[in-house]
Amino acid sequence: MLGEERRRRWSDEKKLDIVMSVGVDGATVTEVARRHDVTRQQIYTWRSELRRKSLLLPSVGPVFLPVDIPVARSPSGMHKGADGLSAKIELQLCCGRSLRFGRDIDTATLTRLIRAVETA
């Protein structure tokens, strides 16, 4: 006797939910796979499948937009935001990932950081 079939059926909605949870609160593909009792390869396969079905948008490279942030200087000469706190920028990336950095970061470094985070 072969026993019961262990193969599970996943709806596109559930697959999308699992795929989109990668990166949320820093969750890696490995962590998400473990949490849902699937393999990492299954998540990558679902990602491709969902893109083919146009249910998941393909990730595009970083998009830079001009941002105007009001900045004031404190008596100590440090840059302060409009709320009086040190000027920090938070950039929300795909799948819930985010980067936080100071306003004086150079474009080349920021581009490398974005590419590193997006390909992880």
Side-chain angles (χ1 to χ4, degrees):
M1 180 168 202
L2 296 175
E4 287 187 42
E5 183 179 337
R6 183 165 162 15
R7 186 177 197 151
R8 293 177 284 179
R9 306 287 180 204
W10 301 89
S11 69
D12 284 344
E13 183 179 352
K14 184 63 179 174
K15 290 177 189 177
L16 185 60
D17 183 50
I18 292 170
V19 168
M20 293 300 292
S21 66
V22 174
V24 174
D25 294 328
T28 65
V29 172
T30 301
E31 292 166 341
V32 171
R34 209 174 282 138
R35 187 180 320 139
H36 295 282
D37 194 29
V38 298
T39 65
R40 292 179 341 175
Q41 186 56 43
Q42 189 65 60
I43 291 176
Y44 292 121
T45 300
W46 287 344
R47 186 182 290 167
S48 297
E49 174 189 325
L50 293 167
R51 283 184 182 140
R52 277 194 310 277
K53 292 180 176 181
S54 298
L55 298 173
L56 179 68
L57 297 176
S59 58
V60 296
V63 176
F64 290 94
L65 302 171
V67 177
D68 183 25
I69 301 173
V71 175
R73 289 195 182 268
S74 69
S76 67
M78 280 189 64
H79 290 291
K80 297 286 185 175
D83 60 0
L85 302 173
S86 294
K88 289 284 183 187
I89 299 168
E90 181 172 353
L91 180 63
Q92 293 292 326
L93 303 173
C94 296
C95 297
R97 297 178 178 132
S98 65
L99 288 173
R100 291 181 194 93
F101 48 89
R103 65 183 318 274
D104 56 346
I105 191 169
D106 64 276
T107 304
T109 301
L110 181 57
T111 301
R112 283 194 310 274
L113 283 171
I114 292 170
R115 286 187 179 137
V117 171
E118 286 295 312
T119 58

